[in-house]
């Protein structure tokens, strides 16, 4: 779920909808000496707590020249958006000068109809329609295309809306723009050419990662990808707090206006938190790009791995997993819920994976001397017919993969020395030899070396990469 300033996306939408409804009131600047955020809240009934924090922050004024809500942030929901711009420190209360709106062409829509829906004057619609037709055949407008609008928020209540600009991308990877100039509307069509550039974005958490990353000028797509890269390493609710810092190294896609619009690749994301540095590195293993921590563990993977044959060395499989097997002693159909390995008495039996011993029992029949290990909430393994247990092993013992947990024997219902090995996944028996087993996703050997090379290269690039020009440093954007 997308978390923005501590509220859910759904909450945001309802706030935006309410904002739209209260917009008539909001766009009239409040007069008086009370704090800007109080005016704002009083006018709108909206808790803009994060705006309050922005307004109180030392560096916040320059940042607020940027839209607090990025145009792209909620655009995937095809809902109207809010752009609260130009919160100049010279003005006592926030004044909204522009309203950003976003719509999607529906089947059967005409361009004029879409403009009408935005409340524009008939004369403006005719002019815009004619201007656009000069650069783009409007009959080629297709359902599903998004159109972004910037509307003047200072028009008198009840008066027709006034367009500042609109743009949409056509199917030829170009963007059609309409902009209002002192001479009237003008339309042009630009080829959408993106260049890729290695950038590093560094920021400090003042509010939330989403808010502060946006204030830095990072678009929604980049923030989302960075969050996904870190999602199993950092708990964004619990681990991140004001004062923490983050760094993102990425191949930025930059449009013809010099604006970062997306990340082609995220190479590295780190958070410096009270609990230490949390970092992930992009690495391609077996053709698949994933994020790994400094210890070469794949992010979001299980750390558990299970052995298919938990014996000190390979032995012959004497009886396969078979839910319909005829039991060798009783002769009745009795499922064989594990696999048997014929091995000499005393052969070491190993823990199939890290876990806790939850049973160590001696039955006269059935399993005989056996051990059960719980590995995680999903997997349990059982080892039966042992001749003896190792010294010190008891219920509750923590074991690591390949620790000795017993010795091969023929106790219980058994016709000769062998290990009977079972794996239960979520309470159901699976075939130890044929089922997909969890494989610890930690890189080893040559792959680990390759990862370490890439890790060093990424760390070097962090120092070499150009810093993302922050909106404040760029003098507003
Ligand atoms: Zn068996």
């Amino acid at each position: 779920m997308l978390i923005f300033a501590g509220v859910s996306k759904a909450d945001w939408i309802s706030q935006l909808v309410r904002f739209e409804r209260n917009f008539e009131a909001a766009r009239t600047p409040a007069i008086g000496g009370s704090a800007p955020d109080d005016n704002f809240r009083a006018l709108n009934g909206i808790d803009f707590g994060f705006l309050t924090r922005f307004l109180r922050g030392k560096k916040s004024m320059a940042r607020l020249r940027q839209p607090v809500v990025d145009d792209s942030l909620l655009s995937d929901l095809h809902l109207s958006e809010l752009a609260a711009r130009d919160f100049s420190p010279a003005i006592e209360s926030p004044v909204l000068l522009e309203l950003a709106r976003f719509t999607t062409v529906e089947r059967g829509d005409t361009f004029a109809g879409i403009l009408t829906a935005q409340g524009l004057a008939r004369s403006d619609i005719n002019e815009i329609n004619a201007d656009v037709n000069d650069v783009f055949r409007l009959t080629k407008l297709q359902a599903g295309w998004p159109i972004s609008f910037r509307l003047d928020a200072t028009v008198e209540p009840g008066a027709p809306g006034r367009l500042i600009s609109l743009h949409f991308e056509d199917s030829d990877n170009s963007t059609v723009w309409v902009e209002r100039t002192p001479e009237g509307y003008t339309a042009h069509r630009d080829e959408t050419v993106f260049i890729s550039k290695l950038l590093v974005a560094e920021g400090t958490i003042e509010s939330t990662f989403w808010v502060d990353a946006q204030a830095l000028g990072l678009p929604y797509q980049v923030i989302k990808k960075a969050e996904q890269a870190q999602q199993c390493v950092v708990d964004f609710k619990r681990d991140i707090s004001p004062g923490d810092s983050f760094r993102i190294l990425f191949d930025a896609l930059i449009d013809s206006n010099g604006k970062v619009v997306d990340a082609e690749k995220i190479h590295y994301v780190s958070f410096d938190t009270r609990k230490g540095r949390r970092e992930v590195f992009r690495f391609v293993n077996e053709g698949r790009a994933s994020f790994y921590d400094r210890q070469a563990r794949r992010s979001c993977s299980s750390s558990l791995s299970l052995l298919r044959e938990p014996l000190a060395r390979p032995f012959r499989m004497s009886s396969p997993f078979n839910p319909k097997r005829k039991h060798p002693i009783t002769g009745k159909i009795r499922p064989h819920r594990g696999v048997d390995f014929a091995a000499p008495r005393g052969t070491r039996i190993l823990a199939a994976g890290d876990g806790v011993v939850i049973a160590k029992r001696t039955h006269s029949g059935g399993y005989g001397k056996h051990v059960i290990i719980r590995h995680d909430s999903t997997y349990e393994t059982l080892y039966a017919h042992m001749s003896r247990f190792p010294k010190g092993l008891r219920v509750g013992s923590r074991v690591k993969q390949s620790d000795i947990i017993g010795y091969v024997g023929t106790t219980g219902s058994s016709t000769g020395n062998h290990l009977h090995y079972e794996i239960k996944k979520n309470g159901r028996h699976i075939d130890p030899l044929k089922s997909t087993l969890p494989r610890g996703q930690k890189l080893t050997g040559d792959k680990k070396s390759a990862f370490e090379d890439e890790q060093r290269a990424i760390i070097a690039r962090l120092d070499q990469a150009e810093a993302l020009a922050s909106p404040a440093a760029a003098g507003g954007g």
Side-chain angles (χ1 to χ4, degrees):
M1 185 171 59
L2 183 148
I3 303 295
F4 188 76
V7 295
S8 71
K9 199 166 189 169
D11 288 340
W12 247 103
I13 298 313
S14 73
Q15 290 199 349
L16 289 175
V17 169
R18 271 201 289 157
F19 183 87
E20 286 265 55
R21 212 173 285 148
N22 292 309
F23 185 66
E24 292 302 318
R27 71 188 185 193
T28 311
I31 297 158
S34 54
D37 51 301
D38 290 338
N39 285 340
F40 212 85
R41 193 173 300 139
L43 282 166
N44 297 285
I46 299 170
D47 184 7
F48 271 103
F50 76 97
L51 273 183
T52 311
R53 282 193 289 280
F54 264 89
L55 289 163
R56 287 178 184 154
K58 282 179 193 145
K59 287 175 281 180
S60 62
M61 291 312 175
R63 285 181 174 187
L64 280 167
R65 292 179 190 281
Q66 284 294 300
V68 172
V69 177
D70 186 286
D71 283 1
S72 60
L73 181 62
L74 296 162
S75 57
D76 54 330
L77 286 177
H78 299 181
L79 282 171
S80 302
E81 292 175 11
L82 151 73
R85 290 172 188 234
D86 288 309
F87 286 73
S88 157
I91 299 171
E92 273 292 302
S93 59
V95 182
L96 285 164
L97 299 178
E98 287 180 17
L99 181 64
R101 285 235 183 92
F102 182 88
T103 191
T104 302
V105 180
E106 303 282 345
R107 189 174 290 276
D109 275 355
T110 63
F111 194 61
I114 290 165
L115 298 176
T116 305
Q118 296 299 325
L120 304 189
R122 171 57 44 194
S123 55
D124 283 5
I125 292 172
N126 291 341
E127 187 187 342
I128 294 165
N129 222 24
D131 287 343
V132 171
N133 238 331
D134 288 342
V135 297
F136 174 78
R137 294 297 309 162
L138 277 170
T139 50
K140 292 186 176 173
L141 196 69
Q142 282 174 26
W145 286 3
I147 304 182
S148 301
F149 297 87
R150 283 164 61 218
L151 299 170
D152 190 336
T154 63
V155 295
E156 290 300 314
R162 199 183 299 143
L163 183 76
I164 295 169
S165 74
L166 70 81
H167 71 270
F168 60 89
E169 278 178 38
D170 67 29
S171 50
D172 296 326
N173 276 328
S174 55
T175 305
V176 176
W177 291 89
V178 176
E179 281 160 320
R180 193 180 62 190
T181 70
E183 292 78 40
Y185 290 103
T186 161
H188 56 100
R189 190 158 163 257
D190 295 336
E191 247 181 78
T192 316
V193 180
F194 297 109
I195 58 160
S196 178
K197 190 183 200 178
L198 184 70
L199 289 182
V200 61
E202 297 185 59
T204 303
I205 304 290
E206 290 175 16
S207 171
T208 68
F209 173 56
W210 272 92
V211 168
D212 293 307
Q214 271 209 292
L216 210 57
L218 287 171
Y220 170 77
Q221 296 298 344
V222 178
I223 303 172
K224 191 164 101 179
K225 285 175 184 174
E227 188 188 54
Q228 281 169 349
Q230 277 276 7
Q231 63 185 343
C232 299
V233 179
V234 160
D235 180 333
F236 283 85
K237 271 189 198 148
R238 287 205 220 135
D239 297 347
I240 306 290
S241 49
D244 293 349
S245 58
F246 58 90
R247 276 211 284 188
I248 305 167
L249 180 74
F250 63 110
D251 288 333
L253 283 178
I254 298 169
D255 70 12
S256 52
N257 299 317
K259 189 182 168 201
V260 175
V261 292
D262 202 347
E264 200 176 15
K265 273 179 206 160
I266 300 256
H267 296 285
Y268 172 85
V269 184
S270 76
F271 284 91
D272 280 344
T273 73
R274 291 157 300 165
K275 296 175 183 172
R277 177 170 291 182
R278 304 290 168 83
E279 53 190 352
V280 291
F281 301 81
R282 181 182 190 272
F283 181 67
V284 180
N285 181 30
E286 290 169 359
R288 197 182 152 188
S290 308
F291 289 93
Y292 293 80
D293 69 10
R294 205 171 255 276
Q295 283 73 43
R297 272 189 301 264
R298 189 158 79 85
S299 176
C300 299
S301 73
S302 161
S303 59
L304 176 69
S305 77
L306 290 179
L307 302 175
R308 289 189 191 279
E309 301 180 28
L311 289 165
R313 57 191 178 87
F315 287 97
R316 181 177 61 90
M317 193 262 290
S318 52
S319 179
F321 179 83
N322 181 0
K324 297 199 171 124
R325 183 186 68 156
K326 196 181 270 190
H327 192 269
I329 291 176
T330 64
K332 289 180 185 166
I333 297 289
R334 230 187 74 182
H336 190 222
R337 296 197 170 96
V339 61
D340 293 349
F341 298 99
R345 180 184 178 84
T347 302
R348 283 165 294 172
I349 301 169
L350 313 179
D354 297 358
V356 176
V357 175
I358 58 164
K360 180 189 143 192
R361 300 187 194 115
T362 302
H363 288 168
S364 51
Y367 291 136
K369 284 186 198 297
H370 66 280
V371 164
I372 302 175
I373 297 173
R374 176 174 296 150
H375 300 282
D376 58 15
S377 56
T378 307
Y379 288 97
E380 278 179 22
T381 51
L382 177 148
Y383 315 77
H385 313 305
M386 293 175 171
S387 57
R388 63 184 178 96
F389 305 111
K391 269 193 203 121
L393 188 85
R394 49 182 55 90
V395 170
S397 294
R398 293 200 163 272
V399 292
K400 297 299 251 175
Q401 185 173 59
S402 298
D403 281 356
I404 298 167
I405 51 153
Y407 299 88
V408 170
T410 184
T411 56
S413 303
S414 170
T415 53
N417 285 314
H418 78 284
L419 167 69
H420 170 92
Y421 173 46
E422 292 182 8
I423 302 179
K424 271 206 252 183
K425 180 182 183 183
N426 293 319
R428 291 179 56 147
H429 289 89
I430 59 169
D431 186 340
L433 294 182
K434 290 185 181 153
S435 303
T436 306
L437 296 184
R439 283 174 23 220
Q441 303 267 8
K442 189 171 176 175
L443 300 171
T444 53
D446 289 350
K447 283 174 183 167
K448 191 178 182 200
S449 308
F451 170 72
E452 284 164 350
D453 289 346
E454 177 63 13
Q455 198 178 42
R456 274 189 288 275
I458 285 172
I459 289 167
R461 270 180 266 157
L462 275 172
D463 294 328
Q464 294 155 4
E466 190 176 312
L468 172 75
S470 78

